[in-house]
Every structure is written in structure tokens, then in C-alpha cells.
Amino acid sequence: MKPDRAPISFMVNGAPASVSAAPMRRLSSILREELGLTGTKVGCDAGDCGACTVLLDGSPVCACLAPLASAQGCSIRTVEGLGGDGLSALQASFLAHGAAQCGICTPGMLMAATALLENRPQPSEDEVQEALGGVLCRCTGYRKIIEAVVEAHRFLPPPSGLPAISPSRGEIGSLNAAPTSRPRRLAKATPQLISSLEGEMAGRPEGGALSKWCDFTLPPAGAAVGASPVRLDGVPKVTGADRFGADAFPTDALSVLVVRSPHHRAAFSFGDLGAYVAQNAGVGGVFTAADIPGVNRFGVIPAFADQPALAEAETRFRGEAVALVACEGWAARDIDLADFPVRWQELPALFAPEQAEQDGATLVHAGRAGNILVRGHVERGDPEAALAHAAAVVSGEIETSFVEHAYVEPEAGHAVFDGDTLTVVACTQAPYMDRDDTARVLGLPPEKVRIVPTATGGGFGSKLDLSVQPLIGLVALKTGRAAALAYSRRDSMTSTTKRHPARMRATLGADADGAIAGMVFDGAFDTGAYASWGPTVANRVPVHASGPYSTPNYRATSRAVHTNGPVSGAFRGFGVPQAAIMQETLYDELADKLAMDRLQFRLNNALRNGGETVTGQRLEAGVGIVDCLEALEQHWKRALAEAASFNAGNVARKRGVGIASCWYGCGNTSLPNPSTIRLGIAPAGKVVLYQGAVDIGQGSNTVIAQIVADALGLALADIELRSADTASTPDAGKTSASRQTYVSGRAAEKAAHTLRDEILRVANVSPAARLHLEAGVLTVWEGDLRRHIDLESLQPDGHGLVFTAEATYDPPTTPLDAKGQGRPYAVYGFGAQIAELEVDLAIGTVQLTRITAAHDVGKAINPLLAEGQIQGGIAQGIGMALMEEYIPGRTENLHDYLIPTIGDVPPIETILVEVPDPEGPFGAKGLGEHVLIPTAPAILNAIRHATGASVRRLPATPSRILAAIRGKSR
């Protein structure tokens, strides 16, 4: 036995365990790597995120901070031990309430909540917030987690005398529930969701339940759209069985370590790399840009691809990768990259657009004059003349900061050669884009690279860009062995993309009746060292900077400017949240100047069916902003009255109420944006859905299956999902720009209609016929006519299907002309939110008390999932407004970089507005981006309402609020 190892014995989930390892090794590492209990997730290795929470002798601890020695003789419980042969009441409650989205934080939440419930079976909301305060979630907005814990007691065993149902663990999660003769339906997932067991027991087959005591069934044929079944991939999320990027590394894989620049800009050179390999036991190789066999450039927009997988001679931002060290897993824990032979020469760096745009400034990229990556422009009418004649005019400037995505799962994956094909298994939002860029970097044909997405623990845009894929691919290519890499939290935060900082100014004018006369907007967006999604942001912002309002005279200009800051990329809104802050705060000021109610002012100017946008696009149908604002009217009146009453009796604290609206074009801006879906009938009697739209927590696995079920006329339980894999699923496009429900959903609807038509043709029946699937038999009936198709007697195609259909949908858009006129999007989503808060005038702190959100979803395919998206987006908007500011070198962890915790998100009232759009499947629109956009401006408007002061630099920290108040008083 090595001297640094010792035998440690303990109990895990009721079973004895013993390992021989270093006593100070992290307990999380032992559980995951030695015992295979990967339900314990690792998000930070610093005790900041709480994802690794386990119970040690009944008490919650962060396993990443607990040394192995602390477990000697103790009893450990992990998420794998919660449900026994089914699900615990808490796990069932999480499913019922939609409390798990991406699922990466879910095990930690469940363990912390279990410790609470074992002492307080019916806790209060305050007790839940106290118990779960150490576990971070970036997706849900926490409110459904709170509901799930508070309501967990409702999922406890039924009264004595009622039999328990034996569960089939994971059944619904994989959509493999055995077909039954009776309809399958699901009651709405509300806090009162417990199916009545009486009268439901007779004839129930074994299985079909997700817990011992609660029945979760799926809606019958024709009833999937509009229902809220538990998410179809939900069971693995609450049991810890989901496999994220770091959860399934091959046991013999080389570990990959990344050497990164400690400077914002630097020249570098290497020492003796061969000697480094020889002197470090377990190191199998070192790889640099010189080892890359293909084109050492990648980028999400091919025309702008400019980022090397490994830098060559000079780095352009802090955290840029320059070299890889491939080593055995046991060696990786002991290697200190501070000893790596690289010499740095720090060079002058550019830190802000105004510095980068100065005459004579060093060019970050040769050929991009003035450090301008791209410009955006939309213009109509004569805005200067309109403003000159306006009855009221307001102007202002706003500055926003870098914002970190802060998903709890750091980037991770592994690569291995399967024959002559490189297979990369990793977290991603864009498998086909990953395939093409990885192949280009490695000099391989695209068909020789396969991308298999894992479960993705949050993305929000950043996991659209390449991260680990070409790095692990290079090591696998050069060594012939599997290669694995999981970013540390610091690696993730330093090297991945951020929300674009923006410096914006605008002028807005209205006539005496309050009708908008004209607007001028200009914004500089810091795109950082490389292009990423900078062109998309620069072109999307001018289209949206007017807000969802009729603006007859308008000019908006934008530019993406290179600096030596972090790479700025996609982040839930592509620049529109920043522009909305500028526009919506000016709307408030203009309403006040006109002495008009702020909500009514917005209603007066809101777009309506038949109206034209600032790009000249006529919106014939589906415009829901008026409906959203009208849905908020009673809430607005109540909130204003309550604020006035509160403020009359308080001097130290003031209550404010703010409102803001949003609109968002779904999909790419004036560019092709196709999605392809394949589905068919297998001989065994299942509808196989090849669904390549990556579900990163938003629910596309469930929503697209619901669309298929109703379009096909079969039950949701008849569908078997085949998730994204470039070797088997068609390209459904990237998961971004609120496009999956709309674009992939429309492709799925088309494919289902095509498949149904083929079945009806073969059966020689009319469109009114009904379908029914049982094991090996498809029954088609119309009136008294019954036709039974023996599926197992038919010859399957290359996909193993006996009936098949594939369809592509590409939104009908047109390019924008030189003045930005055209049809950039086929479908827009709309929304509006009210923020209520209190400000402490002495110290500048803000306490949110309520947010009310009305969002037009066209058609709520799954209302529960839609509510979850709204609440999660609001939480991110709260962070952007009040606390989140990424500063390179200072906030590279989840301790110094603050995101909202469970105590920072107030009660949220969600109003789903349904104004169908004829382009969307069943009238549905996208939602994911829209829900974040109004939150920050509504909060800023509420702060101004409370204090009379406008905060012009975000986030609105206490010091900035105080400075604004003091500036107003002078």
C-alpha cells in the first residue's frame, strides 16, 4: 500500500463500502470515480454551488469540501439512495411541480431538502429557503423548487388500506411505458396533484407509476398539446441517473489539462516540452497549435471564424488556451501547471470599445479597421425631424457589464475513435455545428466526426460555441486513446463566452397625445477578443431597440467592437435585453414627462395586428403585446395603490413599481434557419421520434413529442424518443434564439402530418380515421371499419421503421436591405412584466417583493414547462439588474461572482397569454429568450419610481443606487 493511501470504511445508501485512497481526497471524487455514484454532481469544487450536497450521518455537506477521512465509520446518503425501488415523495413532488429543468443542481437540491424534511415534514417557505440557500440553480428561478419541497408531504403514502403501486423506475423518462388498453392521462401538475388511487387500481398493469404512491400518467390521443405531463426526461434528473459531460468518462481515458494565458494579451513561447514529458510520471504527451492538423480556426458563423483552438504565438484574452497536457488519471491530480515550460511577455491590452476605437489603437485582428467586427443599421422615416417637432423628448445613456452564464455544469466531455470515426461525447447546444468545426480543426471529413450530446447542465447560449470538443479530439487523434476533459470552474469562467457589455445612448420623442414620434438609438457592444456571436448581436439589436411599439421615424445603429476582454457570445437574448433596458427606461421617463400612466402609455403605442415594425414588416396576425399589457392592468393598479400607501408612512424605505415590455423575433435574423425531424413506426408498435433538438432544460424533448402525438393522432405514451446524435438524428439546428418549439416543433408537426397521411393512404381511409397502436399492430378505424396492419410482417427501412416521414421547416424571412428594411423574422413573441420592490434609502439595498409576468406564447404546448421558463428567465434578469458583473481576474468563481440564490427571487405570478401565430405549430411561439428581457428594465423603473433616481450603469448595486440618489439630490 502506498504511504499516501489508507483504507476508509463507511456506509453508502445503506450498503457497506471501503476504499483505499488518500485520506484528504475529496469525498465527491471518491463517490463519483471510485464508487460510480455520479448522481453527486460537481460544479465548482469550492463549496459555492452546492450541487455535490450529500448527507453525512443525516447532515447535508458539500462533498467537494469534505475529505474522505471525514467519512470513516459514517453513513452517507446520495441521491441514488433516496427512492429505494421507486421515487421518494420529494422526488415525485419535484416531477409534479417541474422543479427540475436541466437537472444538474437537482441532486444537491434534493439532498438538502431531504435533510430538512426529515426534521420538518411540512416546512414553511422561509424554512425551505434557509435549508436550500447553499445550493445554486441557474434554470428554474427556484420558485418551483420551493413549491415542490413545501408540498412534498402530499406525496407521502396513502391512508392504510389503499395498496401501493409498484413503480417501474425510469419508465416514463425513456418513453418506454408498456401500452395499455385504457386511456392514459395526466392531471394538471399543480400543488394539489395527487391522482385518486380509489377506482384507478382495477386492471392497472404492473408499472406505470413514478413513485410508490402517486400516479403520473400521460395524456391520451388528441390531448397532449395544452397538457402538462411530467417532463419525459424527468425521472433521470431526480434520481441522479442523467449523464452529463463529466459523468461517463471511459475508465482508461487520458485526462487532458489545459494551459491558459494569465494575461489579457501576451506573446508566449515554449521551453523544452519533451523534457517536461519525460520528467513528469504519467504524462503521455503535450500538444500545441503546431500539432493541429487542420485549420486552427473556429467560429459559430463561418464567415467570421477567427478563434484558434490553441493560440499561436500570441494570446488575445485572459484564459485563452495555449497547450494541452495529456496524462493518466492518477497523475492529473498531482500535476501543477505552474511548472509548465511556457514564457509569457505581457503586452498592452484594450479594455473598452472607446479605447479600441481610438485612432492608432492596436488592432486585435488585422483587417478589422477600427477594431470593428460588424455594424448593424435599421432606419425608416426621418427621426431627426420627428424629434425636432415632438411635444416631449427624453434622452439617456446606459452602460451594462459582462455577464457570466454561470451554468452549474462546467464544460466536459470525452473523445474516442470508433474505427476511423472520432466520437465526441460532450455537453453542447449545437451538435452539428460542433461536428463541422471540430472536423475542420482536426483535418477530418465531417462524416468522420460524430457528436453525441450528453445531458447539458445549463447553456443559455455559451454552449453553442466550441469548448472541449477540438481539444479532446486532438488528444484522441494524436494518441489513439480516449481523452477526457472537465473544465474547472475557473477554466469555465475565464475561457467561455459572456453577455456583451453595452454602452448605449438614445433619444425618444412623442406628440402631445402621447404617440411616439421618433427614436434614435446607438450602441457599442464589446465583443471581446473573437467574433463568436458578435455579428448576430449587432444585427439583432437595431431591429428590436424600438421595443414592441409603433415607431414611424426611427434609426438604430450598433457595432460589435473587439477588445482584449473575454469573448462575448450568445446569452439569452442576443443583445436585446441590453437594448430593452435603454428603451424601456426612456419610455418611463417620457410617460412621466407627458404626465401619462406608464402602462397606458405603452398600451397606446403597442404594435397591433396590421401594424408595421421598424423594418417595415407588416404583422398581419399573432401580435400579443396588447393582450399582455391588458392582462397586467389590475395588477398594476393594485401595486401602485399599495406602494402609495406604504410610502406615505415610511421615510427610510420606499416602495417602487416598474413595468417593461418586450418582443423577440424567433430564430435567425434574415438568414436560413432550417430544422429537420424524422419519425416513423417501428415493427414493435412504437412511434420512434428522431429528435435532434438538444434539450438543455427548456423541455424540447417533451414539447416536441407532445406536438408529434397530437399531429399524428396517437397517444404520447406511444412515442419513443431518440435524442440528438449526428450519426442518427437529422439536423434540428442549434438550441438558441427561442427557435426549438417554433422551428423544430413546426418541422415535427409537418413530419407527423406526412406520416399520418401515408398511414391513411395505405389503409385507404379518410382523414377522419383514428389510429391506435398496440404491440406489433397498428389499427386504423373509421366508423365501423377496422383495419389491422401487422407491423412485424412489413420490411423495415434502414432506420428500422416500417412507416417513416421526414420533414424540414425553414421560417419564411427576407434579407434586410441597406436601411434594414425587410422581414427578419416570421414569428415574434411578446411579453410584459411588473416588478415591485423596496429600496432602503440609507444603504441602497433593494428587496424585491413580487414580479408579475404576462407572456404571449401563442399556444402553451406544455403550460408547466412554460411557467418554468418564465420563472427561470426572470431570475437571470434579476441577476443582470442587481448583482451580476463579471470582471476578469476578480470574479472567476461562484463565490466572487454573484448570481441570485433561492432567497433573492420573490414570488412570481405567471400569466400565459395565448395569441396564436399561424406560422407556429398549433399556433405556438418561442419563449426562452423573451422571458428575461423585461425583467431588468422593470426593476430599474421600479427603483426610479421608489427613489426618483435613475441608475445608468448596471448592475444596480447598492453603491450605484446611492450614487444615483445623491446625484438627484444635488
Side-chain angles (χ1 to χ4, degrees):
M1 182 181 298
K2 294 182 179 180
D4 64 341
R5 300 169 74 91
I8 307 291
S9 299
F10 44 87
M11 299 289 289
V12 177
N13 298 327
S18 181
V19 296
S20 179
M24 295 308 293
R25 194 168 156 196
R26 299 175 191 270
L27 179 58
S28 56
S29 173
I30 296 297
L31 291 172
R32 291 173 55 81
E33 298 170 21
E34 306 297 333
L35 302 179
L37 296 171
T38 55
T40 300
K41 309 302 180 184
V42 175
C44 67
D45 263 342
D48 294 325
C49 73
C52 65
T53 300
V54 299
L55 301 188
L56 189 63
D57 284 343
S59 297
V61 299
C62 284
C64 74
L65 295 183
L68 172 60
S70 68
Q72 173 63 42
C74 295
S75 175
I76 299 170
R77 290 177 69 193
T78 71
V79 68
E80 289 92 343
L82 285 186
D85 59 352
L87 299 183
S88 71
L90 178 62
Q91 288 168 313
S93 189
F94 262 58
L95 287 176
H97 290 87
Q101 288 190 18
C102 82
I104 191 70
C105 75
T106 303
M109 289 287 184
L110 287 167
M111 299 314 298
T114 295
L116 169 67
L117 294 174
E118 288 178 349
N119 291 292
R120 294 282 296 170
Q122 296 188 37
S124 66
E125 180 173 322
D126 288 345
E127 288 171 326
V128 173
Q129 290 181 336
E130 177 69 22
L132 273 60
V135 186
L136 296 178
C137 176
R138 194 59 160 164
C139 294
T140 66
Y142 299 104
R143 299 307 306 180
K144 291 192 178 299
I145 293 174
I146 293 171
E147 293 170 10
V149 179
V150 169
E151 298 287 339
H153 67 277
R154 295 179 178 271
F155 294 80
L156 290 170
S160 59
L162 286 178
I165 304 170
S166 177
S168 176
R169 190 164 176 174
E171 180 182 82
I172 301 301
S174 60
L175 285 178
N176 288 326
T180 68
S181 58
R182 66 178 181 81
R184 301 174 64 90
R185 67 183 187 280
L186 175 70
K188 286 190 177 293
T190 66
Q192 290 74 40
L193 177 81
I194 296 183
S195 295
S196 170
L197 297 177
E198 295 181 279
E200 287 281 313
M201 295 300 168
R204 182 184 299 281
E206 198 70 2
L210 296 184
S211 79
K212 291 181 180 179
W213 310 293
C214 297
D215 179 30
F216 294 83
T217 50
L218 297 177
V225 170
S228 290
V230 295
R231 56 186 312 143
L232 302 176
D233 52 4
V235 169
K237 296 180 186 299
V238 300
T239 59
D242 243 357
R243 291 292 179 261
F244 294 88
D247 288 344
F249 289 169
T251 55
D252 60 344
L254 288 168
S255 292
V256 179
L257 308 178
V258 185
V259 180
R260 300 187 181 277
S261 172
H263 305 292
H264 299 284
R265 178 173 173 242
F268 66 93
S269 60
F270 297 114
D272 190 336
L273 299 180
Y276 177 82
V277 173
Q279 292 165 7
N280 286 272
V283 173
V286 169
F287 305 99
T288 69
D291 297 296
I292 290 176
V295 178
N296 189 21
R297 292 290 182 275
F298 68 85
V300 291
I301 304 174
F304 295 92
D306 59 2
Q307 187 167 354
L310 294 170
E312 304 170 12
E314 180 180 318
T315 59
R316 292 180 171 90
F317 72 98
R318 176 182 169 87
E320 186 165 8
V322 300
L324 308 175
V325 177
C327 58
E328 304 298 336
W330 56 264
R333 289 190 288 270
D334 298 323
I335 290 176
D336 185 355
L337 290 180
D339 297 330
F340 188 82
V342 58
R343 293 181 292 273
W344 300 102
Q345 180 188 353
E346 189 172 2
L347 299 173
L350 302 170
F351 295 108
E354 59 268 26
Q355 182 186 8
E357 292 181 278
Q358 289 178 355
D359 290 341
T362 301
L363 294 183
V364 177
H365 293 276
R368 292 178 181 169
N371 283 309
I372 304 297
L373 170 64
V374 71
R375 297 179 186 272
H377 180 83
V378 172
E379 180 177 358
R380 73 187 313 231
D382 187 343
E384 277 79 13
L387 291 170
H389 294 92
V393 175
V394 294
S395 297
E397 296 185 4
I398 288 282
E399 180 180 353
T400 68
S401 302
F402 285 113
V403 182
E404 161 66 20
H405 294 76
Y407 29 72
V408 175
E409 180 205 22
E411 292 73 7
H414 69 271
V416 63
F417 268 90
D418 180 8
D420 62 351
T421 298
L422 175 67
T423 298
V424 178
V425 181
C427 55
T428 180
Q429 295 180 236
Y432 273 85
M433 288 169 54
D434 288 359
R435 183 199 65 176
D436 293 348
D437 262 356
T438 299
R440 184 168 182 259
V441 170
L442 299 181
L444 297 171
E447 63 271 16
K448 294 301 181 182
V449 176
R450 177 189 181 192
I451 303 294
V452 182
T454 62
T456 299
F460 318 114
S462 188
K463 288 177 183 173
L464 291 165
D465 294 72
L466 283 186
S467 57
V468 303
Q469 294 89 342
L471 307 183
I472 54 180
L474 178 63
V475 173
L477 180 67
K478 291 296 183 179
T479 66
R481 291 181 58 183
L485 170 58
Y487 280 4
S488 67
R489 175 53 57 181
R490 182 177 179 182
D491 278 351
S492 179
M493 294 184 74
T494 57
S495 68
T496 61
T497 61
K498 309 288 176 273
R499 185 182 293 283
H500 286 72
R503 296 194 177 196
M504 301 166 290
R505 62 180 183 273
T507 300
L508 192 64
D511 64 23
D513 295 326
I516 293 296
M519 179 179 181
V520 174
F521 171 97
D522 180 70
F525 291 79
D526 184 347
T527 205
Y530 296 105
S532 185
W533 292 94
T536 301
V537 169
N539 284 292
R540 185 177 279 269
V541 163
V543 174
H544 288 83
S546 65
Y549 307 108
S550 178
T551 311
N553 300 284
Y554 177 82
R555 185 176 63 255
T557 56
S558 64
R559 58 200 182 279
V561 185
H562 280 300
T563 67
N564 292 113
V567 181
S568 295
F571 191 169
R572 210 167 192 169
F574 287 98
V576 179
Q578 297 95 303
I581 290 168
M582 182 76 265
Q583 168 262 319
E584 285 289 330
T585 54
L586 286 185
Y587 253 67
D588 257 32
E589 293 182 22
L590 190 54
D592 286 352
K593 201 166 189 177
L594 291 163
M596 293 185 66
D597 176 83
R598 293 174 285 156
L599 186 151
Q600 188 61 48
F601 179 60
R602 288 169 167 82
L603 266 174
N604 292 350
N605 288 286
L607 288 167
R608 288 166 166 80
N609 287 341
E612 289 191 357
T613 73
V614 292
T615 70
Q617 179 178 356
R618 184 175 295 277
L619 302 178
E620 299 293 352
V623 182
I625 183 59
V626 169
D627 301 76
C628 293
L629 289 166
E630 288 178 344
L632 293 179
E633 283 188 292
Q634 293 306 312
H635 302 274
W636 177 249
K637 292 175 182 177
R638 171 200 54 77
L640 288 176
E642 290 177 0
S645 176
F646 180 91
N647 292 338
N650 284 274
V651 176
R653 299 178 65 84
K654 293 294 181 181
R655 184 169 291 181
V657 183
I659 190 169
S661 301
C662 75
W663 69 326
Y664 193 80
C666 301
N668 292 347
T669 306
S670 292
L671 291 172
N673 190 25
S675 182
T676 301
I677 295 289
R678 181 193 309 126
L679 66 150
I681 309 292
K686 280 290 182 181
V687 179
V688 183
L689 168 60
Y690 289 87
Q691 202 280 93
V694 177
D695 193 325
I696 61 173
Q698 83 280 23
S700 59
N701 281 340
T702 303
V703 166
I704 292 176
Q706 289 178 259
I707 291 169
V708 166
D710 277 12
L712 191 55
L714 285 166
L716 190 56
D718 291 325
I719 298 176
E720 182 178 291
L721 179 68
R722 303 289 172 84
S723 294
D725 180 338
T726 60
S728 60
T729 57
D731 186 2
K734 59 192 181 297
T735 295
S736 71
S738 301
R739 64 177 297 282
Q740 292 297 18
T741 295
Y742 159 45
V743 181
S744 293
R746 180 67 186 276
E749 183 184 47
K750 288 179 63 178
H753 285 157
T754 301
L755 180 60
R756 178 179 172 83
D757 289 346
E758 173 64 11
I759 293 169
L760 299 181
R761 184 191 65 79
V762 169
N764 193 27
V765 295
S766 79
R770 291 182 292 164
L771 309 181
H772 179 72
L773 268 176
E774 293 187 38
V777 177
L778 172 61
T779 301
V780 184
W781 73 87
E782 185 174 18
D784 295 332
L785 176 66
R786 296 286 191 279
R787 298 193 187 277
H788 301 284
I789 301 174
D790 182 358
L791 299 172
E792 294 179 336
S793 69
L794 302 179
Q795 182 65 37
D797 63 13
H799 301 292
L801 305 174
V802 294
F803 290 97
T804 186
E806 184 171 298
T808 298
Y809 176 74
D810 193 2
T813 63
T814 64
L816 299 180
D817 65 18
K819 287 194 172 183
Q821 299 299 289
R823 188 187 189 193
Y825 311 102
V827 169
Y828 294 83
F830 302 89
Q833 295 176 10
I834 296 171
E836 301 172 56
L837 53 78
E838 294 177 12
V839 180
D840 188 310
L841 301 180
I843 57 177
T845 55
V846 170
Q847 180 182 351
L848 291 164
T849 57
R850 176 179 293 274
I851 291 179
T852 307
H855 284 271
D856 169 26
V857 299
K859 172 65 178 179
I861 304 296
N862 187 310
L864 183 67
L865 294 181
E867 290 172 3
Q869 282 292 288
I870 292 170
Q871 293 176 3
I874 286 171
Q876 290 187 345
I878 290 169
M880 183 182 182
L882 297 177
M883 64 188 72
E884 295 191 42
E885 183 171 18
Y886 179 81
I887 303 171
R890 287 177 51 191
T891 60
E892 296 169 349
N893 56 67
L894 292 177
H895 178 77
D896 297 306
Y897 184 83
L898 303 180
I899 70 172
T901 68
I902 199 167
D904 294 316
V905 180
I908 297 171
E909 182 167 349
T910 300
I911 303 169
L912 296 180
V913 175
E914 296 182 307
V915 180
D917 193 290
E919 277 294 320
F922 295 94
K925 305 168 183 176
L927 179 67
E929 243 86 346
H930 319 59
V931 296
L932 176 144
I933 296 168
T935 308
I939 290 171
L940 291 178
N941 286 338
I943 292 172
R944 180 176 174 273
H945 179 236
T947 66
S950 297
V951 179
R952 293 300 183 182
R953 183 179 176 189
L954 267 66
T957 57
S959 61
R960 290 171 182 163
I961 292 173
L962 284 179
I965 293 172
R966 290 165 183 159
K968 167 183 167 287
S969 65
R970 289 196 297 269

CSV table of all heavy atoms in Angstrom, one decimal, residues 742-766:
chain,number,residue,atom,x,y,z
A,742,TYR,N,-40.9,26.5,-31.8
A,742,TYR,CA,-41.4,27.0,-33.1
A,742,TYR,C,-40.9,26.3,-34.3
A,742,TYR,O,-41.6,25.7,-35.0
A,742,TYR,CB,-41.2,28.5,-33.1
A,742,TYR,CG,-41.3,29.1,-34.5
A,742,TYR,CD1,-42.3,28.8,-35.4
A,742,TYR,CD2,-40.3,30.0,-35.0
A,742,TYR,CE1,-42.4,29.3,-36.7
A,742,TYR,CE2,-40.4,30.6,-36.2
A,742,TYR,CZ,-41.4,30.2,-37.1
A,742,TYR,OH,-41.4,30.7,-38.4
A,743,VAL,N,-39.6,26.3,-34.5
A,743,VAL,CA,-39.0,25.8,-35.8
A,743,VAL,C,-39.0,24.3,-35.8
A,743,VAL,O,-39.5,23.7,-36.7
A,743,VAL,CB,-37.6,26.4,-36.0
A,743,VAL,CG1,-37.0,25.9,-37.3
A,743,VAL,CG2,-37.6,28.0,-36.0
A,744,SER,N,-38.3,23.7,-34.8
A,744,SER,CA,-38.3,22.2,-34.7
A,744,SER,C,-39.7,21.7,-34.5
A,744,SER,O,-40.0,20.6,-35.0
A,744,SER,CB,-37.3,21.8,-33.7
A,744,SER,OG,-36.0,22.1,-34.0
A,745,GLY,N,-40.5,22.4,-33.7
A,745,GLY,CA,-41.9,21.9,-33.5
A,745,GLY,C,-42.7,21.9,-34.8
A,745,GLY,O,-43.5,21.0,-35.0
A,746,ARG,N,-42.5,23.0,-35.6
A,746,ARG,CA,-43.2,23.0,-36.9
A,746,ARG,C,-42.7,21.9,-37.8
A,746,ARG,O,-43.5,21.3,-38.5
A,746,ARG,CB,-43.0,24.4,-37.5
A,746,ARG,CG,-43.7,24.6,-38.9
A,746,ARG,CD,-45.2,24.6,-38.7
A,746,ARG,NE,-45.8,24.6,-40.0
A,746,ARG,CZ,-46.1,25.7,-40.7
A,746,ARG,NH1,-45.7,26.9,-40.3
A,746,ARG,NH2,-46.7,25.6,-41.9
A,747,ALA,N,-41.4,21.6,-37.8
A,747,ALA,CA,-40.9,20.5,-38.6
A,747,ALA,C,-41.5,19.2,-38.1
A,747,ALA,O,-41.8,18.3,-38.9
A,747,ALA,CB,-39.3,20.5,-38.5
A,748,ALA,N,-41.6,19.0,-36.8
A,748,ALA,CA,-42.2,17.8,-36.2
A,748,ALA,C,-43.6,17.7,-36.6
A,748,ALA,O,-44.1,16.6,-36.9
A,748,ALA,CB,-42.0,17.8,-34.7
A,749,GLU,N,-44.3,18.8,-36.6
A,749,GLU,CA,-45.8,18.8,-36.9
A,749,GLU,C,-45.9,18.4,-38.4
A,749,GLU,O,-46.8,17.5,-38.8
A,749,GLU,CB,-46.4,20.2,-36.7
A,749,GLU,CG,-47.8,20.3,-37.0
A,749,GLU,CD,-48.3,21.7,-36.8
A,749,GLU,OE1,-47.7,22.6,-37.4
A,749,GLU,OE2,-49.4,21.9,-36.2
A,750,LYS,N,-45.1,18.9,-39.3
A,750,LYS,CA,-45.1,18.6,-40.7
A,750,LYS,C,-44.8,17.1,-40.9
A,750,LYS,O,-45.5,16.4,-41.7
A,750,LYS,CB,-44.1,19.4,-41.5
A,750,LYS,CG,-44.5,20.9,-41.7
A,750,LYS,CD,-43.4,21.6,-42.4
A,750,LYS,CE,-43.3,21.1,-43.9
A,750,LYS,NZ,-42.3,21.9,-44.6
A,751,ALA,N,-43.8,16.6,-40.2
A,751,ALA,CA,-43.4,15.2,-40.4
A,751,ALA,C,-44.5,14.3,-39.9
A,751,ALA,O,-44.8,13.2,-40.5
A,751,ALA,CB,-42.1,14.9,-39.6
A,752,ALA,N,-45.2,14.7,-38.8
A,752,ALA,CA,-46.3,13.8,-38.2
A,752,ALA,C,-47.5,13.8,-39.2
A,752,ALA,O,-48.1,12.8,-39.4
A,752,ALA,CB,-46.7,14.4,-36.9
A,753,HIS,N,-47.8,15.0,-39.8
A,753,HIS,CA,-48.9,15.0,-40.8
A,753,HIS,C,-48.6,14.1,-42.0
A,753,HIS,O,-49.4,13.4,-42.5
A,753,HIS,CB,-49.1,16.5,-41.2
A,753,HIS,CG,-49.8,17.3,-40.2
A,753,HIS,ND1,-49.8,18.7,-40.1
A,753,HIS,CD2,-50.6,16.9,-39.1
A,753,HIS,CE1,-50.5,19.1,-39.1
A,753,HIS,NE2,-51.0,18.1,-38.5
A,754,THR,N,-47.3,14.2,-42.4
A,754,THR,CA,-46.9,13.4,-43.6
A,754,THR,C,-47.0,11.9,-43.2
A,754,THR,O,-47.5,11.1,-44.1
A,754,THR,CB,-45.5,13.7,-44.0
A,754,THR,OG1,-45.4,15.1,-44.3
A,754,THR,CG2,-45.0,12.9,-45.2
A,755,LEU,N,-46.5,11.5,-42.1
A,755,LEU,CA,-46.6,10.1,-41.6
A,755,LEU,C,-48.1,9.7,-41.5
A,755,LEU,O,-48.4,8.6,-42.0
A,755,LEU,CB,-45.9,9.9,-40.3
A,755,LEU,CG,-45.9,8.5,-39.7
A,755,LEU,CD1,-45.2,7.6,-40.7
A,755,LEU,CD2,-45.2,8.5,-38.4
A,756,ARG,N,-48.9,10.5,-40.9
A,756,ARG,CA,-50.3,10.2,-40.8
A,756,ARG,C,-51.0,10.0,-42.2
A,756,ARG,O,-51.7,9.0,-42.4
A,756,ARG,CB,-51.0,11.2,-40.0
A,756,ARG,CG,-52.5,11.0,-39.9
A,756,ARG,CD,-53.2,12.1,-39.0
A,756,ARG,NE,-54.7,11.9,-39.1
A,756,ARG,CZ,-55.4,11.1,-38.3
A,756,ARG,NH1,-54.7,10.3,-37.4
A,756,ARG,NH2,-56.7,11.0,-38.4
A,757,ASP,N,-50.7,10.9,-43.1
A,757,ASP,CA,-51.2,10.8,-44.4
A,757,ASP,C,-50.8,9.5,-45.1
A,757,ASP,O,-51.7,8.9,-45.8
A,757,ASP,CB,-50.8,12.0,-45.3
A,757,ASP,CG,-51.5,13.3,-44.9
A,757,ASP,OD1,-52.4,13.2,-44.1
A,757,ASP,OD2,-51.0,14.4,-45.3
A,758,GLU,N,-49.6,9.1,-44.9
A,758,GLU,CA,-49.1,7.8,-45.5
A,758,GLU,C,-49.9,6.6,-44.9
A,758,GLU,O,-50.3,5.7,-45.7
A,758,GLU,CB,-47.6,7.7,-45.3
A,758,GLU,CG,-47.0,6.4,-45.8
A,758,GLU,CD,-47.1,6.1,-47.3
A,758,GLU,OE1,-47.5,7.0,-48.0
A,758,GLU,OE2,-46.9,5.0,-47.7
A,759,ILE,N,-50.0,6.6,-43.6
A,759,ILE,CA,-50.8,5.5,-43.0
A,759,ILE,C,-52.2,5.5,-43.5
A,759,ILE,O,-52.7,4.4,-43.8
A,759,ILE,CB,-50.7,5.7,-41.5
A,759,ILE,CG1,-49.3,5.5,-41.0
A,759,ILE,CG2,-51.7,4.7,-40.8
A,759,ILE,CD1,-49.1,5.9,-39.5
A,760,LEU,N,-52.9,6.6,-43.6
A,760,LEU,CA,-54.2,6.7,-44.0
A,760,LEU,C,-54.3,6.2,-45.5
A,760,LEU,O,-55.3,5.6,-45.9
A,760,LEU,CB,-54.8,8.1,-43.9
A,760,LEU,CG,-54.9,8.6,-42.4
A,760,LEU,CD1,-55.5,10.0,-42.4
A,760,LEU,CD2,-55.6,7.7,-41.5
A,761,ARG,N,-53.3,6.6,-46.3
A,761,ARG,CA,-53.3,6.1,-47.7
A,761,ARG,C,-53.3,4.6,-47.8
A,761,ARG,O,-54.0,4.0,-48.6
A,761,ARG,CB,-52.2,6.8,-48.4
A,761,ARG,CG,-52.2,6.5,-49.9
A,761,ARG,CD,-50.9,7.0,-50.6
A,761,ARG,NE,-49.7,6.2,-50.1
A,761,ARG,CZ,-49.4,5.0,-50.5
A,761,ARG,NH1,-50.2,4.4,-51.4
A,761,ARG,NH2,-48.4,4.4,-50.0
A,762,VAL,N,-52.3,4.0,-47.0
A,762,VAL,CA,-52.2,2.6,-47.1
A,762,VAL,C,-53.5,1.9,-46.6
A,762,VAL,O,-53.9,0.9,-47.1
A,762,VAL,CB,-51.0,2.2,-46.2
A,762,VAL,CG1,-51.0,0.7,-46.0
A,762,VAL,CG2,-49.7,2.6,-46.8
A,763,ALA,N,-54.1,2.5,-45.6
A,763,ALA,CA,-55.3,1.9,-45.0
A,763,ALA,C,-56.6,2.3,-45.9
A,763,ALA,O,-57.7,1.7,-45.6
A,763,ALA,CB,-55.5,2.4,-43.6
A,764,ASN,N,-56.4,3.2,-46.8
A,764,ASN,CA,-57.5,3.6,-47.7
A,764,ASN,C,-58.7,4.1,-46.9
A,764,ASN,O,-59.8,3.7,-47.1
A,764,ASN,CB,-57.9,2.4,-48.6
A,764,ASN,CG,-58.8,2.9,-49.8
A,764,ASN,OD1,-58.7,4.1,-50.2
A,764,ASN,ND2,-59.7,2.0,-50.3
A,765,VAL,N,-58.4,5.1,-46.1
A,765,VAL,CA,-59.5,5.7,-45.2
A,765,VAL,C,-59.3,7.2,-45.4
A,765,VAL,O,-58.4,7.7,-45.9
A,765,VAL,CB,-59.3,5.3,-43.8
A,765,VAL,CG1,-59.6,3.8,-43.6
A,765,VAL,CG2,-58.0,5.6,-43.2
A,766,SER,N,-60.3,7.9,-44.8
A,766,SER,CA,-60.3,9.4,-44.9
A,766,SER,C,-59.6,10.0,-43.8
A,766,SER,O,-59.2,9.3,-42.8
A,766,SER,CB,-61.8,9.9,-44.9
A,766,SER,OG,-62.3,9.8,-43.5
